[in-house]
Each structure stands twice: as C-alpha cells, then as structure tokens.
Amino acid sequence: MSRWSSMNQFGKRKHYPRPKTEQHWRSLYRAHEYRLPNVTSLKLVHYKKGAGQTGMRHFKSYKLAPLTHWNAHINVELEKVETGHGEAEAAVSLNSGEVVKIPATELTDSGLLAAIIAADPEGELVTDGPGYLQHF
C-alpha cells in the first residue's frame, strides 16, 4: 500500500502500537472507509498561521489518507499559504460540474469530513473508528 507524506499521522493513536504489517494496515483502512462516487476533485486551502486552522491540518493528517485510499479517482490538491492569515476552505468538485465550497476555519477534522461527505449526494461514511486495534 502506498503511504505518502500526509499519512505520517494516520495510524497513530496514543498508548497503542502503530500498525506494522500489511494485514494491520488493511484492517486500519477498513475501519476508516469513506465513499464519494460523485466527487472528481478536492482542493484544500489553509494558512500556516491564524485561528481555526487546526481542523484542516488534522484532516490532512488523519482523514485524507483513507479518503484517497477508498476514492482513488479523486484528484486532491493541497495548498498551504505560508504568509498572512485567512480562512481555511475546502472546494469539492462534483461530476455534474458543480463546485461546493466549504468554509473550514472553525470545523474539526471530523466536521470537515462530514461536510465533504454531505456535499456528495451519494456520499457515504461506511465506517469511521479505530477498529484495527482489536487485531493487535
């Protein structure tokens, strides 16, 4: 399984071992399954400084890896603005050509995930939990 930079935090849980085998990783991904069949692209914009940016950073670290694993067709663009302060935002492009903009400044990572799933009419949160821990 391909694990890229934002996945450095995915799979970590305080006081629990990190998954090491392919079986543990597969189990971890099964425990975090999100389906977005009508989404073509996802653009995430956040600022390095400013209030309300933590939810977007946590989304990038904990929720984006399984989202892209289960939805390989989605083109994800990450934009981190190094200067100034601003509003974090997620732009969800659908198959119909519609772009749904989600202001994410005060949202938690789970709140942002719920908003992205709600933007897709057929979006589904299949499972979301630390189920892989039962296999250690």
Side-chain angles (χ1 to χ4, degrees), residues 20-38:
K20 292 182 177 44
T21 66
E22 287 298 313
Q23 177 188 2
H24 292 153
W25 280 108
R26 278 194 296 273
S27 179
L28 177 61
Y29 277 113
R30 276 195 308 272
H32 298 275
E33 186 175 351
Y34 324 121
R35 300 288 182 169
L36 300 169
N38 295 323

Side-chain angles (χ1 to χ4, degrees), residues 67-92:
L67 188 125
T68 56
H69 174 78
W70 292 108
N71 302 284
H73 63 280
I74 296 177
N75 180 27
V76 178
E77 183 182 339
L78 303 171
E79 183 181 337
K80 179 179 179 182
V81 181
E82 296 288 334
T83 59
H85 301 290
E87 302 290 316
E89 182 179 77
V92 181

Side-chain angles (χ1 to χ4, degrees), residues 15 56 64 120:
H15 307 297
M56 181 67 80
L64 190 59
D120 184 349

Side-chain angles (χ1 to χ4, degrees), residues 30-111:
R30 276 195 308 272
H32 298 275
E33 186 175 351
Y34 324 121
R35 300 288 182 169
L36 300 169
N38 295 323
V39 175
T40 57
S41 68
L42 178 64
K43 182 177 181 181
L44 305 172
V45 179
H46 71 96
Y47 288 77
K48 183 176 180 179
K49 297 180 181 179
Q53 305 294 323
T54 306
M56 181 67 80
R57 284 196 317 268
H58 284 192
F59 178 83
K60 216 169 64 170
S61 296
Y62 298 107
K63 304 288 186 190
L64 190 59
L67 188 125
T68 56
H69 174 78
W70 292 108
N71 302 284
H73 63 280
I74 296 177
N75 180 27
V76 178
E77 183 182 339
L78 303 171
E79 183 181 337
K80 179 179 179 182
V81 181
E82 296 288 334
T83 59
H85 301 290
E87 302 290 316
E89 182 179 77
V92 181
S93 299
L94 302 174
N95 288 341
S96 63
E98 180 186 359
V99 177
V100 179
K101 294 192 183 258
I102 302 167
T105 300
E106 296 299 326
L107 291 177
T108 63
D109 57 340
S110 298

Side-chain angles (χ1 to χ4, degrees), residues 109-120:
D109 57 340
S110 298
L112 180 56
L113 177 65
I116 291 171
I117 291 172
D120 184 349

